[in-house]
Amino acid sequence: MKYSYLGKSGLKVSQLCLGTMNFGPETEEKEAFKIMDAALDAGINFFDTANVYGGQERRGWTEEIIGRWFQQGGGRREKVVLATKVYNDMFDENDGPNSGAGLSGYKIRRHFEASLKRLQTDHIELYQMHHIDRNVSWDELWGAFEILVQQGKADYIGSSNFAGWHIATAQAEAKARHFLGLVSEQHLYNLLQRTPELEVLPAAKELGMGVIPWSPLAGGLLGRNALAGTGVRSSRSANLEKNRSQLEQFSALCKELGDHEDQVALAWVLANPAVTAPIIGPRTMQQFEDSLRVTEIVLDEATLKKLDEIFPGPGRPAPEAYAW
């Protein structure tokens, strides 16, 4: 496994990040334990989760599974760079009128402590805002996160699903407070969704942030079984016919290369210099093992050009992509 610094921080993380969203709802606990053990054995030290993971009726379930895995000992907790998130409604009746999605200082404090309890740990390496909250000032946000860092409960702060201008504002406000600010942005990015190349990726790279792409396989549309109609998330199935021509061309190219579609799609994301580590979200041990080949794949210029032809991106960052 290869490692990279997480943005401008001195923290080294594996170039594949283990996503745990499936643990609980789709992957039973015993299998999840095996996958996490296998990840450590493969050199993956970067694990991503969120307080909301676990399904509509059991939010927090995934963090609980990870917490029980940590409690097995054997250095599991010490070996993991743990990332979790805050923003969504946890349906906690104790939140009262402060329930719902958001990032108030009150909510950050309460939900951070709840994550620690579920994860059975006393600190979190990377605490991420799951979405922007336009109702909260940066004075309130940075004030809340500074306290967590000063107390030694969180090492770094990250964002997720931020626009480029959100990132720029966050970093400017942090600098004014003499605070490190954001070290990473977790963002939707894949061959079928290249809009982040306009603003988000350039902003993150310029401001010293690592990019952690989520859904690098577009919900299974870029997986090896997509054209057969299997392995695609129900929320993305409507896009299968819409993108069938592209996916057929992509499949043919992958056969020429001798690698599976999911491996090539992940390798393409990882080849972007702005990217630190794409998130892999295996449901099974087989899916996890299939992902490990990605760090060994090197896509040459001819292949990258062909992928650009199949899945055209904006071509350049903003404003050059659309203005003279």
Side-chain angles (χ1 to χ4, degrees), residues 89-156:
D89 190 350
M90 292 297 290
F91 303 131
D92 184 344
E93 62 181 18
N94 295 316
D95 281 340
N98 287 291
S99 62
L103 290 171
S104 66
Y106 166 91
K107 181 163 188 172
I108 290 169
R109 174 185 60 80
R110 283 177 51 79
H111 287 214
F112 182 87
E113 293 297 333
S115 283
L116 289 184
K117 185 176 180 179
R118 286 189 293 269
L119 290 162
Q120 301 192 53
T121 187
D122 61 359
H123 71 284
I124 292 167
E125 280 77 16
L126 178 63
Y127 199 45
Q128 303 163 108
M129 292 171 273
H130 212 156
H131 204 286
I132 190 73
D133 186 346
R134 295 174 176 84
N135 296 314
V136 180
S137 71
W138 279 105
D139 282 336
E140 181 176 356
L141 283 170
W142 282 137
F145 289 124
E146 284 171 5
I147 291 172
L148 295 179
V149 173
Q150 290 165 1
Q151 292 177 338
K153 293 182 177 180
D155 293 336
Y156 302 98

Side-chain angles (χ1 to χ4, degrees), residues 5-324:
Y5 286 108
L6 183 60
K8 60 190 173 186
S9 79
L11 180 68
K12 287 187 176 182
V13 296
S14 51
Q15 288 189 341
L16 289 178
C17 178
L18 180 66
T20 61
M21 186 174 71
N22 291 316
F23 294 174
E26 298 191 44
T27 305
E28 65 175 19
E29 186 166 313
K30 185 177 180 180
E31 182 78 354
F33 280 17
K34 290 180 180 178
I35 291 172
M36 289 187 281
D37 282 336
L40 287 186
D41 289 343
I44 295 176
N45 73 332
F46 195 15
F47 288 20
D48 177 76
T49 191
N51 60 352
V52 74
Y53 292 168
Q56 189 75 5
E57 302 300 323
R58 195 171 172 181
R59 297 189 170 191
W61 187 9
T62 303
E63 285 187 333
E64 292 172 359
I65 289 173
I66 296 171
R68 287 190 286 271
W69 178 74
F70 283 151
Q71 287 307 301
Q72 292 183 105
R76 287 176 172 83
R77 177 65 188 96
E78 293 77 9
K79 294 174 183 177
V80 170
V81 173
L82 178 64
T84 192
K85 311 180 193 76
V86 61
Y87 173 82
N88 288 289
D89 190 350
M90 292 297 290
F91 303 131
D92 184 344
E93 62 181 18
N94 295 316
D95 281 340
N98 287 291
S99 62
L103 290 171
S104 66
Y106 166 91
K107 181 163 188 172
I108 290 169
R109 174 185 60 80
R110 283 177 51 79
H111 287 214
F112 182 87
E113 293 297 333
S115 283
L116 289 184
K117 185 176 180 179
R118 286 189 293 269
L119 290 162
Q120 301 192 53
T121 187
D122 61 359
H123 71 284
I124 292 167
E125 280 77 16
L126 178 63
Y127 199 45
Q128 303 163 108
M129 292 171 273
H130 212 156
H131 204 286
I132 190 73
D133 186 346
R134 295 174 176 84
N135 296 314
V136 180
S137 71
W138 279 105
D139 282 336
E140 181 176 356
L141 283 170
W142 282 137
F145 289 124
E146 284 171 5
I147 291 172
L148 295 179
V149 173
Q150 290 165 1
Q151 292 177 338
K153 293 182 177 180
D155 293 336
Y156 302 98
I157 306 302
S159 58
S160 181
N161 305 307
F162 275 32
W165 74 272
H166 295 142
I167 290 170
T169 301
Q171 298 303 65
E173 294 287 345
K175 185 176 182 180
R177 299 173 69 97
H178 306 288
F179 187 63
L180 181 64
L182 301 171
V183 299
S184 61
E185 160 64 13
Q186 188 174 139
H187 210 84
L188 174 63
Y189 183 52
N190 55 57
L191 281 164
L192 285 166
Q193 179 50 271
R194 298 182 60 171
T195 306
E197 294 172 10
L198 285 170
E199 302 266 4
V200 174
L201 269 61
K205 188 177 180 182
E206 177 69 20
L207 295 170
M209 295 167 58
V211 175
I212 309 166
W214 62 267
S215 195
L217 302 183
L221 287 174
L222 297 167
R224 65 186 64 182
N225 298 314
L227 290 172
T230 59
V232 178
R233 290 191 177 277
S234 57
S235 60
R236 305 294 181 89
S237 58
N239 292 324
L240 181 58
E241 291 308 315
K242 176 183 175 182
N243 297 291
R244 180 170 289 277
S245 177
Q246 288 174 290
L247 296 176
E248 288 174 346
Q249 294 176 65
F250 177 53
S251 182
L253 175 62
C254 292
K255 287 178 181 177
E256 291 179 17
L257 297 173
D259 287 299
H260 292 291
E261 291 87 341
D262 48 293
Q263 295 170 329
V264 174
L266 280 167
W268 176 85
V269 171
L270 191 54
N272 191 305
V275 168
T276 299
I279 295 174
I280 57 172
R283 293 190 300 273
T284 66
M285 181 65 74
Q286 185 61 55
Q287 289 180 345
F288 170 76
E289 292 173 348
D290 289 341
S291 299
L292 295 179
R293 159 123 177 91
V294 173
T295 58
E296 302 172 7
I297 298 175
V298 178
L299 303 177
D300 60 27
E301 289 300 319
T303 299
L304 292 172
K305 183 178 179 180
K306 182 63 177 177
L307 288 168
D308 282 340
E309 292 172 357
I310 299 172
F311 303 102
R316 292 183 290 175
E320 291 88 348
Y322 51 80
W324 65 269

